[in-house]
Amino acid sequence: MKTITLTLTDMANGGAALGRDEDRRVVFVPLTIPGEKVKVTIVEDKKRFARGRLVEIIDPAPRRVEARCPHFGPCGGCQFQHIDYSEQLRYKEAIVRDQLERIGGFVDPPVQSIWANPEAWAYANSATFSPADKGRLGFWSPELGQVMPIDTCFLLRSELLDLYQDLDLDLPGLREVTLRVGQDGELLAILATDDLEPPLLEADFPVSAALLLPDGAAANLVGDNYLLQRVGDRVFRVSAGCYFPNNRAAAEFILETVLAYATLSGGDSILELYSGVGTLTAFLASNATEIVAVESNPDAVADAIINLAQFDNVSLYQGRVEEVLPMLTVTPDLIVVDPPDAGLPPAVVDEIAVRTPAQLLYISSDIATLARDGRRLAAKGYRLTQIQPLDAQPQTYHVQSVSQWSRQ
């Protein structure tokens, strides 16, 4: 394999710094920092770009720090532990701007200063592990090409880390296990197996367990198949197969930003797409005339019915957004979308434009797909008014955002 020396110039979306070789071809190098001079081995050689593995840091960056975790690097769960936290934030904000400009085609996009997470460590209330050898659990390692057993994780809340270290699972057909912690420290283990027969489980500590079925529904094994999670002054039921933000502080900041951008007067009609268990719905419903919410996960809809029981101005529809939306007759003042990483299907963007809401709020977990969807929204007559990036997952390259779009 070829070894070269590079001076790195920028941080790419995905967590690798980049430089250019003698042919001006871009080379991506994980675990490095812009400004560093490094020696790398080329491990993926393409015509337009290459990927390198760090061999030696010849000239380190001033903001390079010692990673806390002994698994950092091969584990692959973190990408930025070697970078001072304030510098991580600077790179993430720059990446948001870069993706909006390069993919979205926006000139000088209105990017607000990124929100710094008050919990840079031990913030995660959920983690998914895969089985490794000898009954151990670990994370998939892109570098090793296999599951890597771990002894510790500095991103997990202490309750989850204790559960992980005490857990002894040796189940045939186990594909993955997700561990979660609730607002008061309640623990839930969610098992996904190839065998639909429920396994026999015994626990020496208070933990609930659920079996995740192929259709996404969850069956009880031990205790309850849900946890209670708090956002703001409200408590929400979240079942095993349902999404909930992995960082409570970030969830509350998203809520505050959405409510600030929405500027509700009390007489608004709102359409909420990908509404989940109703976390945002509850706060929006308090300041709106009506809300129509659409969610595909039946367990999430069941949770939302419980979580929104006090409201008589919310209508819930269960089904895929692209299938349900064309059947709705609502003409909303505001549309709120919180899609998965893949972003909005083109058909959903078309349907949003047909309803001509004065304002759209887009909660994004992937800046590249937001930039792509933003280009489509702009072509439909929507202007990016402001975007608030936030660091929901410190020590990783991931960056979330809340953006406001107004009809021109």
Side-chain angles (χ1 to χ4, degrees), residues 64-76:
R64 175 173 282 274
V65 297
E66 190 72 25
R68 288 193 186 186
C69 183
H71 304 302
F72 178 65
C75 170

Side-chain angles (χ1 to χ4, degrees), residues 187-262:
L187 298 168
L188 175 62
I190 307 164
L191 311 178
T193 69
D194 293 327
D195 189 353
L196 295 183
E197 289 297 320
L200 296 175
L201 296 178
E202 293 183 0
D204 297 327
F205 43 86
V207 57
S208 295
L211 180 66
L212 192 63
L213 303 174
D215 63 358
N220 287 44
L221 295 177
V222 178
D224 297 317
N225 67 341
Y226 65 87
L227 290 174
L228 299 179
Q229 301 285 8
R230 178 178 294 276
V231 178
D233 60 355
R234 294 182 179 276
V235 175
F236 297 88
R237 170 181 162 135
V238 183
S239 290
C242 301
Y243 169 77
F244 186 80
N246 200 25
N247 184 309
R248 177 177 164 182
E252 296 199 341
F253 181 75
I254 290 173
L255 169 64
E256 293 169 7
T257 305
V258 166
L259 294 179
Y261 282 5

